[in-house]
Amino acid sequence: MTPEEEQQASSAPEQPLMAHLLELRDRILKIIYGVVIAFAPLAYFSKQIYAIVAEPLMKLMPAGTSMIATEVASPFFAPLKLSMILAVAVSMPWTLFQLWAFVAPGLYKSERRLVTPLLFSSTMLFYAGMAMAYFLVLPTVFKFLISVAPEGVAVMTDINKYLNFVLAIFLAFGIAFETPVAIVLLVYTGFVTPKQLRENRGYVLVGCFVVAAVLTPPDVVSQFLLAVPTYVLYEIGILAGQWLTPGTKQVEEQQAIAERK
């Protein structure tokens, strides 16, 4: 923190707690309005959207087979559920903007310069993770699962179970792709240094496969496709943290001198 920022913080008037709570309520309402606005058109085309999401599996299923609905209301609620979750994802930039507008007045100028690109990059990385899951992971996983099905077994799945499976994959890859942002925040706050992160590469690599085994379905293909990109993003996060956080080299040099003593 620079002396100018300390002076700015000491001279900034503090708002009462009620004012913060009222503003938080307004921001939450705006977030809800954004989700509702995004949900309305998506709900209208919910069947078509579900067909697009189901395409990676439908293209690989044997001729004459299809998905099934084991519950009476599944054909109605499954597409709507997908539309609601998609509305939350689509309105994520608006949600992050509202959160940013709420916390920005309490941040210093240097922190605001860092948070803005982090919010943008975190959104884009989350979308990139979902895109990789849809275009690469799901076709690969389904092709593998169908190929190992015993002879005479018709591959047919319930639409609700398929939706839960796909959403779990999307969420796992979306969260995994946030690794560089998490690394940058850890380095910026001084919790770890890039040197410490580099020294623990082996543990992180093993941890990536363990986390992938927990977050993904029980097949080797999806675990591998999640663990490897996560580790690559870990390395990218180290480089980004060292580049965006000034003074990391000096801190590492001071730690090395202290260790030698």
Side-chain angles (χ1 to χ4, degrees):
M1 186 191 310
T2 62
E4 292 79 6
E5 290 177 340
E6 292 180 353
Q7 183 178 3
Q8 178 184 359
S10 61
S11 60
E14 294 186 1
Q15 296 184 4
L17 177 60
M18 186 57 66
H20 287 295
L21 293 177
L22 291 175
E23 183 181 0
L24 178 61
R25 181 201 63 182
D26 293 339
R27 297 295 178 186
I28 293 176
L29 288 175
K30 290 180 179 179
I31 291 173
I32 295 174
Y33 295 154
V35 174
V36 172
I37 292 174
F39 174 72
L42 293 174
Y44 183 79
F45 296 101
S46 59
K47 294 181 180 179
Q48 292 85 342
I49 294 172
Y50 191 94
I52 294 174
V53 173
E55 186 176 358
L57 176 60
M58 296 300 296
K59 290 194 302 185
L60 298 172
M61 292 179 68
T65 59
S66 63
M67 289 190 182
I68 60 175
T70 58
E71 298 177 2
V72 177
S74 293
F76 175 76
F77 284 111
L80 283 182
K81 177 183 176 181
L82 174 61
S83 298
M84 174 56 71
I85 296 175
L86 186 59
V88 174
V90 169
S91 62
M92 188 62 66
W94 172 253
T95 300
L96 293 176
F97 172 77
Q98 295 302 323
L99 296 176
W100 160 247
F102 177 73
V103 303
L107 300 177
Y108 299 110
K109 189 175 181 180
S110 60
E111 294 173 337
R112 288 197 294 268
R113 285 197 299 265
L114 177 67
V115 171
T116 301
L118 285 182
L119 288 177
F120 176 79
S121 60
S122 63
T123 305
M124 294 298 103
L125 285 171
F126 189 82
Y127 289 157
M130 294 180 64
M132 178 180 176
Y134 179 79
F135 290 105
L136 175 62
V137 178
L138 290 179
T140 305
V141 170
F142 292 147
K143 186 176 181 180
F144 169 77
L145 294 177
I146 292 175
S147 65
V148 298
E151 186 177 355
V153 175
V155 179
M156 303 173 69
T157 182
D158 176 67
I159 59 174
N160 257 328
K161 292 182 178 179
Y162 173 82
L163 179 60
N164 294 334
F165 179 90
V166 171
L167 291 178
I169 294 289
F170 284 161
L171 184 62
F173 276 81
I175 294 176
F177 270 58
E178 299 293 331
T179 301
V181 177
I183 296 298
V184 169
L185 290 176
L186 290 174
V187 174
Y188 183 82
T189 56
F191 189 78
V192 294
T193 63
K195 180 182 178 181
Q196 293 173 329
L197 294 171
R198 288 191 293 267
E199 291 175 347
N200 291 281
R201 282 186 172 119
Y203 299 105
V204 172
L205 180 59
V206 174
C208 288
F209 279 92
V210 172
V211 173
V214 174
L215 295 180
T216 59
D219 66 278
V220 179
V221 178
S222 59
Q223 294 172 11
F224 184 82
L225 291 175
L226 177 60
V228 173
T230 302
Y231 179 76
V232 173
L233 291 169
Y234 174 81
E235 295 289 345
I236 295 174
I238 296 176
L239 298 176
Q242 190 167 2
W243 178 59
L244 293 174
T245 306
T248 53
K249 290 185 178 180
Q250 290 80 353
V251 173
E252 292 177 353
E253 291 174 357
Q254 293 175 1
Q255 289 179 349
I257 295 174
E259 291 175 358
R260 285 196 295 267
K261 292 181 178 180

